[in-house]
Amino acid sequence: MTRSEFDDIRAFLADEATHAGDLLRIARTLIDDLEHARMREAVLRSHYLRLLTAARATVAADTIGEAEPLAFLKHELAERGQLPEDGEAVQRILSDARAAAALLACLEEPAPRRPRGMRLRRCVGTGRTLRR
């Protein structure tokens, strides 16, 4: 449910002309949405756990010098239809990964401190004259 939908519901609930039957309908809709969101979260957690397990198995296989250490990860990606198919897709994926890493690095940097004390104001723009 989007933020604007929540805002619409709040406004509807605050309206004194809202009837009890309307409130019951909204409650049922919200419970259905909540159940759907919980199911979606469970599926996403399952996908994440499978991918994490495949990544850990890949690193472990590489550590012991296994002949095909990427087999676990390739299998998991193939199951989801996420294996790159051609050179262009490979380059795009690598570019996206580099951009994501750069963005994450920026997010992890502490926010710059704002100077304390009096603020200096600058006047920018064309000169103006006041009427006398």
Side-chain angles (χ1 to χ4, degrees):
M1 188 172 282
T2 66
R3 182 77 181 149
S4 64
E5 288 174 316
F6 278 115
D7 291 341
D8 290 344
I9 290 171
R10 279 193 187 97
F12 187 72
L13 293 174
D15 186 4
E16 292 180 12
T18 302
H19 300 291
D22 295 333
L23 296 174
L24 183 60
R25 182 178 49 84
I26 288 176
R28 287 181 178 145
T29 301
L30 290 174
I31 288 176
D32 289 344
D33 287 352
L34 180 61
E35 183 177 349
H36 181 71
R38 289 182 67 125
M39 289 299 295
R40 212 173 36 223
E41 179 189 8
V43 168
L44 287 173
R45 284 178 183 264
S46 171
H47 290 315
Y48 173 77
L49 183 59
R50 289 178 63 164
L51 186 58
L52 182 62
T53 302
R56 293 185 76 220
T58 297
V59 171
D62 185 53
T63 300
I64 63 169
E66 196 68 34
E68 283 282 327
L70 293 176
F72 302 103
L73 202 49
K74 284 181 178 179
H75 173 75
E76 189 60 33
L77 292 175
E79 291 240 335
R80 306 274 168 253
Q82 295 295 317
L83 279 175
E85 295 179 7
D86 57 17
E88 181 182 332
V90 170
Q91 291 306 317
R92 183 179 42 80
I93 291 168
L94 291 174
S95 175
D96 289 348
R98 287 185 198 104
L103 287 172
L104 285 173
C106 288
L107 287 175
E108 292 172 356
E109 291 178 6
R113 294 187 60 168
R114 294 177 62 185
R116 296 190 179 242
M118 290 185 60
R119 291 177 50 187
L120 299 175
R121 297 185 185 262
R122 293 186 203 162
C123 295
V124 179
T126 60
R128 296 183 184 166
T129 56
L130 297 173
R131 289 188 223 165
R132 293 183 186 210

